[in-house]
């Protein structure tokens, strides 16, 4: 992959945020108009790596997120390309008016790399969990929303964000993510889902930390239950890959979405909007955090608690396979 | 009123006990915000053990004084204060951060008895406290609201929106305390985002400012006495403190905002705390200068 200055082996030893920091350093070398901003979370979000390399192009505004996003808007208006990093919860909620009005409304080139998303900062509790941001950010006009599945995909996304006109929101986790790709050149393309596994019985559509878990579940289901489950990594939530969703409806007629996010308004809703538009009948289920403030705990434990780990996903698939949906003998596109 | 030597001794012992319990809590939790817990401990101790009208057996008592921990990240410092008072079983501290435990990094008012507001997103506490203070006055009630802020937290615009409003509404039943430990996450406050002239900023927003040594109970007592006598301006207490106070290998070091202790560090921390307690009890200079390394560098 172009511009990646670390190997796959290095990538397994770096947290997702470190891969982001490294990628931004490389990108900053190539494009002098890139600047970085953080709000007393330079170290935690790893944008500090860029700050160390380009101190004169890095601005730590203190604990003042609203000012930070407003400043980023001003910098973008003046021709710079700001990469802005704080926790997802403060990007999507604390500074939302600035993101909405100063950045999205004016369609400015501000790239928001939001860390500690979903339940990945599990022990910090609901002031730091962020299970609403996909819903919020995808409702903003002009915004692109990317939820990378692992570190390597984060590197692709951070680079793709530069080439994409307008505001981009990239949602990453705290800490390490299980690598889902064996090679970096799997063909990342903004707005195009990646087929992680082929299958015709059911399609799991996942994003972020649930992709690896969905793949594991599909593997188990094939071995144990003989099921052929398709897994799509919907890394770009907006613009969504409608074609891949429509194909999944036609070809598998059973869809399960899974996300480390509330079931209201996120990936599941985005998929439902497209799938409902096909006019076909299909079985559908959304897995995610139910309508509540999460309990505290380790990320893995919380994903298991809300049934969005390998076991929860596999159980949901089995349950859905046993469910009937309205027969439609006339479907000529059915397989 | 100046503290009696007996009262001072009692507060010193209590603060020491709570600091130790906080170190234990960090160990049980795996890690935690130890630096800001140590800087705030004397403030929280004098409030809960001298000034605040509270009854842990009646946590919802309508006329209780309220304490809002606006710098909500120091759950490992605040939970021991509440547990020790009997708001909940101390044993629960051993499950801090465990999956499903009511005690996480930032305390949840719906899960932890005694916590008045779920904080952790910085900058919110003063507004909530002001709302409470205004409500008390409207209802003709005499309880007070105390809000403890971090100094880095004062970068947030909302703090100053609340400050402007507190002066405007003459909220003299609101006591604002800033833990001026001169550190935030990415470095010393004056290097990351300069706050000085800090007291002047509060004054310009309509506050009477009382500066004190946040690790000297006489100095803290004088500041609270002044705040309680507020007539027409709200009072902000700027308590000069040392992040990590009492634990020599972390004191004044911003890098110890958050961290964990292995067995060796735990023993070293407790040994250091004991030394500083003894020094303070002996009446040796116990203030901000004594247990830190030059005020937050
Ligand atoms: C709105 C918001 N932004 C960022 C953070 C992350 N954060 C947690 S603690 C902290 C530093 C706090 O510094 P200070 O207020 O000085 O606290 P202290 O040094 O007393 O611990 C930051 C930036 C947060 N909790 N809330």
């Amino acid at each position: 992959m172009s511009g990646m200055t670390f190997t796959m082996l290095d990538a397994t030893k770096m947290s997702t945020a470190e891969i982001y920091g490294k990628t931004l350093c490389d990108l900053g070398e190539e494009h002098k108009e890139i600047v970085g901003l953080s709000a007393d979370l330079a170290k935690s979000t790893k944008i500090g790596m860029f700050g160390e390399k380009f101190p004169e192009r890095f601005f730590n505004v203190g604990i003042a997120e609203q000012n930070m996003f407003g400043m980023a808007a001003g910098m973008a208006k003046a021709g710079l390309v700001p990469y802005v990093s704080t926790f997802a919860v403060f990007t999507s909620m604390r500074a939302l008016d600035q993101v909405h009005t100063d950045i999205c409304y004016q369609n400015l080139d501000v790239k928001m790399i939001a860390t500690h998303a979903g339940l990945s900062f599990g022990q910090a509790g609901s002031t730091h969990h962020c299970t609403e941001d996909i819903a919020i950010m995808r409702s903003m006009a002009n915004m692109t929303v990317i939820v990378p599945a692992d570190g390597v995909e984060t590197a692709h996304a951070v680079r793709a964000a530069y080439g994409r006109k307008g505001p981009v929101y990239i949602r990453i986790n705290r800490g390490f993510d299980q690598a889902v790709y064996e090679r970096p050149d799997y063909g990342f393309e903004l707005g195009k889902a990646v087929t992680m596994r082929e299958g015709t019985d059911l399609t799991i559509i996942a994003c972020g930390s649930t992709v690896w878990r969905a793949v594991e579940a599909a593997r188990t289901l094939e071995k144990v239950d003989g099921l052929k489950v398709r897994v799509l990594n919907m890394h770009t939530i907006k613009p969504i890959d409608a074609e891949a969703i429509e194909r999944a409806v036609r070809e598998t007629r059973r869809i399960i979405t899974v996300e480390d996010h509330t079931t209201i308004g996120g990936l599941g809703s985005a998929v439902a909007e497209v799938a409902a538009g096909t006019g076909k009948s299909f079985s559908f289920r959304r897995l995610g955090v139910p309508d509540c403030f999460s309990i505290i705990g380790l990320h893995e434990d919380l994903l298991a608690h809300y049934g969005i780990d390998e076991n929860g996903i596999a159980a949901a698939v089995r349950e859905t396979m046993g469910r009937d949906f309205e027969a439609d003998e006339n479907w000529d596109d059915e397989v | 009123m100046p503290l009696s030597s007996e009262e001072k001794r009692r507060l010193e012992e209590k603060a020491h006990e709570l600091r130790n319990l906080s170190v234990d809590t960090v160990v049980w939790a795996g890690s935690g915000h130890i630096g800001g817990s140590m800087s705030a401990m004397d403030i929280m101790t004098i409030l809960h053990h001298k000034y605040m009208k509270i009854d842990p057996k009646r946590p919802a008592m309508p006329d209780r004084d309220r304490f809002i921990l606006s710098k909500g990240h120091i759950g490992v410092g605040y939970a021991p204060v509440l547990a020790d008072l009997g708001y909940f079983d101390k044993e629960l501290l051993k499950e801090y951060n465990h999956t499903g435990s009511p005690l996480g990094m930032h305390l949840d008012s719906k899960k932890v008895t005694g916590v008045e507001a779920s904080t952790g997103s910085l900058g919110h506490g003063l507004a909530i406290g002001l709302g409470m203070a205004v409500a008390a006055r409207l209802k003709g009630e005499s309880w007070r609201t105390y809000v403890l802020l971090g100094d880095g937290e004062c970068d947030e615009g909302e703090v100053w929106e609340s400050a402007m409003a507190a002066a405007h509404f003459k909220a003299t039943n609101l006591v604002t305390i800033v833990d001026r430990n001169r550190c935030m996450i990415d470095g010393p406050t004056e290097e990351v985002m300069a706050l000085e002239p800090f007291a002047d900023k509060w004054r310009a927003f309509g506050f009477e400012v009382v500066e004190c040594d946040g690790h000297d109970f006489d100095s803290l007592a004088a500041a609270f006495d002044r705040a309680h006598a507020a007539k027409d301006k709200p009072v902000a207490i700027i308590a000069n403190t040392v992040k990590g106070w009492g634990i020599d290998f972390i004191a004044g070091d911003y890098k110890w905002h958050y961290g964990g202790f292995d067995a060796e560090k735990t023993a070293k921390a407790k040994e250091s705390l004991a030394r500083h307690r003894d020094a303070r009890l002996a009446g040796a200079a116990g203030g901000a200068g004594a247990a830190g390394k030059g005020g937050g560098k």
Side-chain angles (χ1 to χ4, degrees):
Chain A
M1 136 188 203
S2 75
M4 227 188 234
T5 57
F6 49 89
T7 65
M8 287 300 279
L9 186 67
D10 296 335
T12 60
K13 292 187 209 129
M14 294 193 299
S15 71
T16 301
E18 277 169 339
I19 293 178
Y20 154 51
K22 179 88 181 69
T23 305
L24 190 59
C25 286
D26 297 342
L27 213 51
E29 198 79 72
E30 296 159 34
H31 307 285
K32 301 293 173 229
E33 71 281 19
I34 289 180
V35 291
L37 292 95
S38 190
D40 197 31
L41 289 173
K43 290 194 188 79
S44 318
T45 63
K46 298 293 179 255
I47 197 173
M49 293 163 73
F50 176 91
E52 261 160 40
K53 186 157 181 189
F54 306 105
E56 72 293 347
R57 284 156 61 188
F58 180 69
F59 301 85
N60 193 332
V61 301
I63 312 169
E65 296 78 11
Q66 294 167 297
N67 177 50
M68 174 167 69
F69 283 98
M71 275 182 70
M75 290 168 148
K77 280 220 161 217
L80 299 177
V81 178
Y83 274 68
V84 187
S85 279
T86 178
F87 295 164
V89 68
F90 306 131
T91 308
S92 63
M93 290 178 256
R94 182 52 157 272
L96 185 59
D97 192 21
Q98 282 72 19
V99 169
H100 167 272
T101 302
D102 305 342
I103 297 170
C104 291
Y105 183 30
Q106 309 187 81
N107 198 16
L108 295 175
D109 260 334
V110 176
K111 317 301 173 185
M112 296 155 246
I113 319 297
T115 69
H116 296 59
L119 298 175
S120 67
F121 203 3
Q123 294 172 327
S126 295
T127 58
H128 286 63
H129 294 162
C130 187
T131 53
E132 301 89 352
D133 57 330
I134 299 177
I136 293 168
M137 289 304 190
R138 83 183 182 93
S139 72
M140 299 284 134
N142 292 328
M143 184 75 100
T144 296
V145 179
I146 312 176
V147 185
D150 67 3
V152 166
E153 193 156 83
T154 298
H156 287 299
V158 168
R159 287 192 158 272
Y162 180 82
R164 175 100 180 158
K165 177 88 196 98
V168 177
Y169 179 77
I170 300 178
R171 174 199 220 238
I172 63 177
N173 296 321
R174 176 187 199 230
F176 290 80
D177 284 298
Q178 179 74 37
V180 302
Y181 298 108
E182 270 154 32
R183 304 160 47 91
D185 54 352
Y186 60 92
F188 176 88
E189 203 185 321
L190 216 148
K192 281 272 163 284
V194 181
T195 305
M196 307 299 293
R197 277 178 83 87
E198 264 306 351
T200 48
D201 290 323
L202 181 147
T203 302
I204 304 172
I205 305 180
C207 66
S209 54
T210 62
V211 172
W212 173 76
R213 292 168 169 90
V215 170
E216 286 301 303
R219 223 175 250 147
T220 306
L221 288 162
E222 169 149 44
K223 240 193 276 158
V224 178
D225 305 63
L227 291 173
K228 295 254 177 295
V229 174
R230 180 180 303 179
V231 179
L232 297 182
N233 170 12
M234 194 61 75
H235 53 67
T236 309
I237 310 290
K238 186 187 180 188
I240 200 146
D241 188 347
E243 206 255 309
I245 298 169
E246 285 158 2
R247 204 161 359 97
V249 170
R250 281 200 310 274
E251 295 176 359
T252 73
R253 301 198 63 183
R254 294 180 184 88
I255 310 262
I256 291 180
T257 61
V258 48
E259 61 200 301
D260 181 5
H261 182 273
T262 167
T263 51
I264 300 174
L267 170 70
S269 301
V271 169
E273 287 157 17
V274 174
T278 61
K280 306 291 182 194
S281 74
F282 58 98
S283 245
F284 183 67
R285 180 132 175 221
R286 286 167 302 141
L287 303 182
V289 182
D291 186 18
C292 70
F293 287 102
S294 168
I295 61 167
I296 64 131
L298 297 172
H299 193 203
E300 309 86 86
D301 292 349
L302 299 185
L303 295 181
H305 181 79
Y306 293 113
I308 42 185
D309 65 340
E310 308 87 285
N311 294 333
I313 296 168
V317 169
R318 290 186 180 114
E319 196 267 330
T320 306
M321 288 308 298
R323 241 202 257 169
D324 267 350
F325 50 86
E326 200 179 314
D328 180 354
E329 299 303 326
N330 300 326
W331 278 27
D332 49 12
D333 48 12
E334 220 177 312
V335 287
Chain B
M1 247 205 341
L3 297 173
S4 69
S5 60
E6 181 44 41
E7 190 164 32
K8 205 166 139 184
R9 181 176 192 90
R10 186 177 61 85
L11 291 170
E12 295 288 3
E13 293 289 3
K14 184 51 81 179
H16 178 65
E17 188 188 332
L18 291 171
R19 278 196 171 90
N20 275 281
L21 192 54
S22 179
V23 168
D24 288 333
T25 304
V26 168
V27 174
W28 292 321
S31 54
H33 293 86
I34 184 71
S37 293
M38 295 299 116
S39 63
M41 197 56 91
D42 295 315
I43 299 165
M44 292 198 289
T45 301
I46 198 169
L47 272 175
H48 288 85
H49 288 275
K50 178 171 169 64
Y51 290 113
M52 283 174 59
K53 197 164 46 152
I54 45 175
D55 180 358
K57 290 193 196 64
R58 296 172 59 217
M61 180 172 79
D63 62 345
R64 69 191 183 280
D65 287 336
R66 270 66 164 179
F67 173 72
I68 310 275
L69 182 68
S70 193
K71 44 172 275 185
H73 50 279
I74 60 158
V76 293
Y78 184 32
V81 173
L82 292 173
D84 171 73
L85 283 164
Y87 280 98
F88 55 87
D89 188 354
K90 251 190 216 178
E91 284 295 302
L92 212 53
L93 294 173
K94 297 186 176 156
E95 288 163 38
Y96 205 105
N97 268 355
H98 294 196
T99 297
S101 164
L103 298 173
M105 210 177 273
H106 308 86
L107 301 181
D108 179 341
S109 69
K110 288 282 180 204
K111 291 184 184 154
V112 188
T113 311
V115 175
E116 299 283 359
S118 301
T119 54
S121 179
L122 292 167
H124 294 216
L126 193 54
I128 298 171
L130 174 59
M132 289 176 171
V134 167
R137 191 171 58 194
L138 188 65
K139 292 164 78 183
E141 295 171 359
S142 63
W143 48 273
R144 286 198 175 86
T145 304
Y146 298 88
V147 180
L148 179 59
L149 299 157
D151 50 2
E153 180 181 11
C154 293
D155 293 353
E156 287 286 2
E158 188 185 357
V159 170
W160 301 99
E161 296 174 25
S162 310
M164 183 156 32
H168 181 82
F169 294 120
K170 298 194 172 20
T172 49
N173 55 349
L174 172 75
V175 181
T176 304
I177 309 125
V178 183
D179 179 356
R180 183 77 173 109
N181 61 27
R182 298 185 166 264
C183 292
M184 46 210 288
I185 295 183
D186 284 336
T189 56
E190 300 315 292
E191 284 174 33
V192 176
M193 182 53 59
L195 289 167
E196 295 295 343
F198 192 49
D200 288 346
K201 288 191 170 77
W202 286 96
R203 281 189 201 105
F205 272 75
F207 276 69
E208 176 181 341
V209 176
V210 184
E211 295 194 63
C212 74
D213 179 340
H215 301 304
D216 178 322
F217 285 118
D218 288 323
S219 181
L220 278 165
F224 280 108
D225 287 345
R226 182 69 209 89
H228 293 154
K231 281 278 167 329
D232 44 35
K233 282 182 176 189
V235 170
I237 297 174
I238 299 178
N240 290 305
T241 58
V242 174
K243 202 153 175 169
W245 189 93
I247 303 176
D248 286 339
F249 62 92
I250 74 168
D253 181 357
Y254 72 85
K255 292 192 200 72
W256 272 98
H257 175 75
Y258 178 89
F261 289 158
D262 57 16
E264 191 193 324
K265 283 206 178 72
T266 305
K268 255 175 78 183
K270 293 197 168 184
E271 181 270 325
S272 173
L273 285 170
R275 221 166 349 93
H276 287 292
R277 187 260 327 256
D278 292 347
R280 268 167 67 158
L281 282 176
K293 290 181 285 192
K297 282 286 137 55

